Amino acid sequence: MKKIILSLSIMLISLAGFSQVLKPVKIDSLVTVSLPEGFTKKDTLGQQIYQGSASLGNILVLRVPNADTKPLNKEKDLKDVFKTYINGIQKQSVNGSVMYPRDTTIGKLEGKVFTLRIDNSGSTGESPELRNFILLYTQDVTYTFEYNYPEQRVDLAKAELKQFSGSIRIAPTLDRRDQYLSDAKGMSAPAKIGIYGGAAVIVLIVVLTVIKRKNRQLEAGV
């Protein structure tokens, strides 16, 4: 038991020694995220790709101008964009399965978080890989933040993943209007109360009218 504890301690000390400090990098004038030193940047047809190796995983950031910059109308349209993106990511990986999709908020923007688990162990014998995604959509640009690592490191990589995902910063000028135009999510509560309450009053009046009419008929001996 002591040997196991000693081995783990040596391993953790070694990892700490090789750990890299993530430093803030401006992706553009609106978005900043922390990346490891020595990261590379590629620009292909306006699509910017940032790649770097952190201590326990690899980091990938994409800045892709949208082909269609027509503004979305409602929140549902934004959710459809995220759904289409996630489906596309999963189709690209034969042995990939999406896990833990959930909504998130960064600044004033809505985002989507999910994990893609890729299991090629049956063919390559390698440990399954976990690719953690954060998606941010604006009218002009879609941002993808990815941190991936072997599944066997899932506990060790939690802190670094949290550091990376928590480093995303967006300009205060970006808000929901840069994602979709209407904040309407259906009928407002006051409107519902007015309609349903009004209907209840009408029903009540009709019932009282019928009762009064029957009472009059009974009194008249009809």
Side-chain angles (χ1 to χ4, degrees):
M1 185 66 180
K2 290 182 179 180
K3 290 183 178 180
I4 295 175
I5 295 175
L6 180 60
S7 298
L8 289 173
S9 300
I10 293 174
M11 182 178 69
L12 291 174
I13 292 172
S14 300
L15 288 173
F18 286 104
S19 63
Q20 293 193 41
V21 178
L22 303 183
K23 295 185 177 181
V25 175
K26 291 188 69 173
I27 304 302
D28 54 27
S29 61
L30 300 173
V31 175
T32 300
V33 66
S34 293
L35 300 175
E37 293 184 0
F39 71 88
T40 61
K41 176 185 176 182
K42 296 180 181 179
D43 196 324
T44 305
L45 300 176
Q47 299 182 11
Q48 297 177 359
I49 304 173
Y50 297 78
Q51 289 180 292
S53 296
S55 303
L56 297 167
N58 296 313
I59 289 175
L60 178 68
V61 177
L62 302 178
R63 181 190 183 277
V64 181
N66 297 327
D68 184 3
T69 57
K70 181 181 178 181
L72 303 178
N73 289 320
K74 301 178 181 178
E75 185 179 25
K76 179 182 180 301
D77 298 327
L78 177 63
K79 291 185 180 299
D80 287 341
V81 169
F82 288 147
K83 183 178 180 180
T84 300
Y85 189 102
I86 292 174
N87 289 339
I89 289 291
Q90 184 165 13
K91 288 179 181 178
Q92 291 177 12
S93 175
V94 178
N95 298 318
S97 57
V98 172
M99 305 188 305
Y100 319 126
R102 58 197 184 278
D103 298 328
T104 189
T105 302
I106 299 178
K108 299 176 183 177
L109 298 185
E110 296 180 28
K112 197 74 174 180
V113 178
F114 69 96
T115 299
L116 182 72
R117 182 179 186 270
I118 303 174
D119 188 358
N120 294 319
S121 57
S123 57
T124 64
E126 298 176 344
S127 170
E129 182 184 40
L130 298 179
R131 299 174 61 186
N132 299 272
F133 288 86
I134 300 175
L135 306 181
L136 276 182
Y137 170 91
T138 66
Q139 182 177 332
D140 297 319
V141 178
T142 297
Y143 302 90
T144 304
F145 306 88
E146 180 185 343
Y147 179 89
N148 60 75
Y149 53 88
E151 189 176 45
Q152 61 191 12
R153 297 181 188 170
V154 63
D155 292 326
L156 293 173
K158 284 181 179 178
E160 193 168 72
L161 171 59
K162 184 177 181 181
Q163 180 187 3
F164 169 64
S165 58
S167 71
I168 302 172
R169 297 288 183 271
I170 64 172
T173 53
L174 281 176
D175 58 28
R176 298 284 174 84
R177 293 284 180 178
D178 293 289
Q179 296 186 301
Y180 54 89
L181 300 178
S182 175
D183 291 329
K185 298 182 179 180
M187 194 180 299
S188 65
K192 290 180 179 178
I193 293 173
I195 291 175
Y196 299 140
V201 170
I202 292 173
V203 171
L204 180 60
I205 291 173
V206 171
V207 171
L208 291 175
T209 301
V210 172
I211 292 174
K212 285 182 179 181
R213 184 178 297 172
K214 287 186 177 181
N215 288 337
R216 287 175 183 173
Q217 290 175 347
L218 290 173
E219 289 175 357
V222 178

